Amino acid sequence: MKPVDAVPYEFVAFPEAEMQARAQAFYAMLKTRHSIRDFADRPVPLDVLETCVKTAVSAPSGANQQPWHFVIVTDASVKHQIRLAAEAEERAFYNERASQAWLDALAPLGTDADKSFIDRAPCLIVIFAQSYGMGEDGERIKHYYAQESVGIATGFLIAALHHAGLACLTHTPSPMNFLSEILNRPPNERAFINLVVGYPAEHATVPTHALYEKHLHDVMSHR
Ligand code: IYR
């Protein structure tokens, strides 16, 4: 390593005896998370959302370029515009664009082009990835691993929301250009995920298919 400007790392270590209990507690906390599509129309505390976004933007990113932007949408008319535009794309997806294999893969989830949950849920967090940034003189600065970085930040956000007591759905209509237009985002950004956030409705369910988990020995190996 070459010498660079640096500060001591204030790392918080735990006795080995505590580590497994901590790992287990975090696992138990996140294991109860599920995507839902039935939201209550109850508002969510904005300060909680903002703190969860702070967790997201603490994620690692390529060359620490932080190639992301998070739009918190709570305005009912903006959500409604997004719902209508999303449903137009989803109708094209379900009726024309999706292959039969893709539709078959989705069948156990029961999804369709109805995205009324966008109206009902109190909040969307629309996450944008920036393929490049803007320098002081308006020049483009390429961002490295923007997709991976925003994916990691989104994982942090989903975990933070769940830990705070909020449910969410990763909604990815395709294409998502309409989100840039409705939310007035610049050309260096593309919508990455529309995260629908709120509380589950009382009758909210989780498809049995979502409970299926591959065996650890099939998805993990040691060498
Ligand atoms: N975007 C569509 C289809 C869809 C695709 C996948 I991959 C999913 O995991 C779920 C849905 C929709 O939201 O209905």
Side-chain angles (χ1 to χ4, degrees):
M1 290 286 287
K2 296 173 193 154
V4 292
D5 247 358
V7 294
Y9 185 14
E10 310 287 349
F11 182 73
V12 184
F14 300 98
E16 224 169 88
E18 264 180 54
M19 289 172 70
Q20 177 59 355
R22 293 181 60 88
Q24 185 62 40
F26 192 76
Y27 165 59
M29 183 276 294
L30 262 192
K31 179 137 178 77
T32 62
R33 189 211 62 82
H34 288 286
S35 297
I36 52 146
R37 293 175 177 78
D38 290 323
F39 287 87
D41 63 3
R42 173 177 161 211
V44 291
L46 261 186
D47 58 333
V48 174
L49 296 177
E50 287 184 4
T51 302
C52 291
V53 173
K54 277 164 74 174
T55 299
V57 303
S58 76
S61 64
N64 192 29
Q65 289 174 315
Q66 302 166 56
W68 43 57
H69 186 90
F70 295 76
V71 183
I72 299 180
V73 183
T74 49
D75 183 292
S77 68
V78 178
K79 281 197 296 114
H80 190 61
Q81 274 187 69
I82 291 175
R83 174 196 170 175
L84 295 182
E87 286 183 333
E89 294 297 354
E90 297 290 17
R91 278 193 298 274
F93 172 80
Y94 283 98
N95 299 333
E96 300 151 35
R97 294 192 199 127
S99 63
Q100 191 54 48
W102 196 341
L103 293 175
D104 291 348
L106 292 179
L109 296 177
T111 55
D112 59 22
D114 173 0
K115 302 302 170 194
S116 46
F117 54 71
I118 295 177
D119 276 336
R120 208 157 36 248
C123 172
L124 312 174
I125 303 179
V126 186
I127 303 161
F128 288 87
Q130 303 171 334
S131 54
Y132 57 93
M134 288 296 190
E136 304 233 318
D137 305 317
E139 78 278 18
R140 293 180 177 202
I141 301 170
K142 185 188 163 32
H143 285 161
Y144 301 99
Y145 297 100
Q147 296 293 308
E148 292 83 348
S149 302
V150 178
I152 294 167
T154 301
F156 274 39
L157 179 57
I158 292 169
L161 290 167
H162 176 71
H163 183 251
L166 289 168
C168 71
L169 171 70
T170 49
H171 179 221
T172 53
S174 171
M176 287 196 272
N177 313 344
F178 66 86
L179 289 168
S180 291
E181 284 157 32
I182 295 172
L183 299 174
N184 235 320
R185 297 310 305 166
N188 61 322
E189 293 183 2
R190 271 177 205 283
F192 180 77
I193 271 178
N194 173 25
L195 204 64
V196 186
V197 181
Y199 300 99
E202 250 173 70
H203 59 270
T205 58
V206 174
T208 314
H209 180 71
L211 304 178
Y212 155 74
E213 202 172 78
K214 290 182 178 176
H215 290 292
L216 191 59
H217 63 252
D218 288 330
V219 296
M220 180 180 78
S221 50
H222 295 275
R223 295 268 339 243

